[in-house]
Amino acid sequence: MQILFSPLHQGHAPAHEFFRGERVPCFESPVRAEFVHEALRGRGHPVQAPGEDSAVVLRRVHDERYLTFLESAWSQWLALDSANADRQPFPSVWPVRTLRSDVEPANFIARLGLYSMDNGSPLSAGTWAAAKAGADAAVSAAGLLEQGARSVFCVTRPPGHHAGADFMGGYCFINNAAVAAQSLLGRGCTRVAILDVDYHHGNGTQSIFYERADVLVVSIHGDPRTEYPFYLGHADEAGAGAGRGFNLNLPLPAGTSADTWFDALEAACARTARHRPDALVVSLGLDTFAGDPISTFKLQAADFSRLGGRLKQLGCPTAFVLEGGYAAVELGSNAANVADGFEQG
Ligand code: OKP
Ligand code: ZN
């Protein structure tokens, strides 16, 4: 399987996030992508750097105002105080119901709140370059599929599926899966499916395509009544307008076993097949692993091979986009099991 990897991901390296009221080291760390890259390379998969520029497609997925902010956010932060180089900006106020989000504040932290869904998406000096490289990988994957590749694996971080058209959230800044899907539509595909198997509901992906019928979004995830991102991902969210029937959520209770998870995967695959997609984008979160430090599903290493094999049976050109997975040491082999399961399936 062709692997797309850029070392620019390493520049996204914030030190801390908030967890249970404390500042803790970031779960979403550079070693994650290094482990995945090493494991895939070690199993003989060819690796190349993303060759295409995502600039045009990015603007079809995300709002200009948000992209402009994101690209210059770190330099805006430094301009406030040169000592900010060693500090992380966090939002402190969000424009919830009754507050205005149409006026961009002059205050940097207020702008950060406007463009964030949570306090869990810390920025660092290289965040934009890392996120942009992820989008470049997504567009490059679409290009490789267009040229006849059966599958491509984007080793992207930061992840993307919580990022919406105009906001960051849940460690995510640019929605790489949405960028891949949008790029495929511009390359002769008329129907694309996104299958999100990350533990957390991909609220950003859902919201970007919610009123569209060309991109089917199917997600298996922890029930948002108890699991992040809490405010989206319920079973009754089916799409709206022209997109009605083109969003399928399969929430599962915290602690769900592998057997039950694979039952949900069958339902997800059945709906995906019925869409007859010209290409499939898999938001590949590996935080369904039993050893994940922030999630509660019970998949084991061999289950990731089974997942890859099942996805192969859909018979579509497939782009895998790395999302979550925080058991860093096992992340590489779990990701490589999906790739190998797909190729052998
Ligand atoms: C991203 B992905 C709060 C800690 C929890 C939310 C989890 C984001 C998961 N600061 N953060 O879907 O794996
Ligand atoms: Zn996740």
Side-chain angles (χ1 to χ4, degrees):
M1 185 175 300
Q2 183 62 56
I3 311 303
L4 292 169
F5 172 79
S6 166
L8 287 171
H9 83 84
Q10 294 162 3
H12 175 63
H16 298 109
E17 66 178 77
F18 292 106
F19 187 65
R20 296 179 182 154
E22 306 282 348
R23 262 165 35 122
V24 302
C26 289
F27 289 99
E28 201 293 288
S29 68
V31 297
R32 297 178 59 249
E34 296 300 317
F35 277 124
V36 174
H37 173 225
E38 282 306 307
L40 288 164
R41 210 170 50 99
R43 294 207 203 164
H45 298 282
V47 181
Q48 64 183 83
E52 294 195 42
D53 183 349
S54 59
V56 172
V57 180
L58 258 187
R59 278 159 183 79
R60 302 207 51 187
V61 169
H62 292 285
D63 287 6
E64 187 73 45
R65 184 175 89 144
Y66 171 61
L67 291 171
T68 300
F69 171 77
L70 196 57
E71 183 163 12
S72 64
W74 191 256
S75 53
Q76 292 179 48
W77 175 239
L78 289 186
L80 292 175
D81 181 346
S82 59
N84 281 350
D86 300 314
R87 299 183 183 130
Q88 286 176 219
F90 283 99
S92 57
V93 186
W94 290 265
V96 298
R97 296 158 300 283
T98 76
L99 301 184
R100 284 181 66 172
S101 50
D102 59 318
V103 184
E104 197 182 54
N107 178 286
F108 173 76
I109 293 298
R111 274 201 301 287
L112 189 57
L114 174 61
Y115 295 122
S116 301
M117 63 178 268
D118 66 3
N119 72 348
S121 313
L123 291 156
S124 73
T127 297
W128 167 258
K132 173 65 165 51
D136 290 349
V139 165
S140 302
L144 291 169
L145 295 184
E146 183 186 22
Q147 289 161 31
R150 298 305 298 167
S151 59
V152 184
F153 192 117
C154 301
V155 186
T156 39
R157 70 164 289 278
H161 71 153
H162 298 300
D166 67 352
F167 61 87
M168 64 188 81
Y171 316 146
C172 302
F173 300 88
I174 289 177
N175 196 311
N176 302 312
V179 168
Q182 189 64 49
S183 181
L184 285 160
L185 290 171
R187 297 174 194 262
C189 295
T190 55
R191 286 182 309 279
V192 174
I194 299 177
L195 177 51
D196 189 327
V197 297
D198 188 279
Y199 179 79
H200 305 94
H201 175 249
N203 62 283
T205 313
Q206 171 170 316
S207 64
I208 288 165
F209 296 112
Y210 205 63
E211 299 189 13
R212 289 171 52 173
D214 51 352
V215 179
L216 171 73
V217 177
V218 177
S219 179
I220 306 168
H221 50 267
D223 191 323
R225 286 178 291 188
T226 61
E227 307 307 294
Y228 184 93
F230 306 115
Y231 308 105
L232 209 66
H234 300 280
D236 66 349
E237 296 157 12
R244 180 135 198 98
F246 292 89
N247 191 84
L248 176 63
N249 283 331
L250 300 165
L252 298 171
T256 288
S257 68
D259 279 355
T260 302
W261 192 88
F262 277 99
D263 289 345
L265 183 66
E266 279 313 305
C269 287
R271 177 67 189 92
T272 301
R274 199 156 63 76
H275 190 57
R276 290 181 297 110
D278 300 309
L280 173 66
V281 177
V282 179
S283 263
L284 184 64
L286 298 151
D287 41 11
T288 50
F289 178 54
D292 195 89
I294 66 170
S295 309
T296 72
F297 289 171
K298 298 281 189 293
L299 275 65
Q300 301 290 343
D303 292 319
F304 293 103
S305 311
R306 181 177 169 195
L307 168 60
R310 182 64 187 88
L311 296 175
K312 174 69 161 290
Q313 287 173 21
L314 288 167
C316 289
T318 300
F320 291 94
V321 177
L322 183 65
E323 302 283 2
Y326 306 99
V329 171
E330 296 94 337
L331 187 65
S333 53
N334 288 342
N337 283 358
V338 176
D340 289 344
F342 187 93
E343 289 207 323
Q344 291 154 20

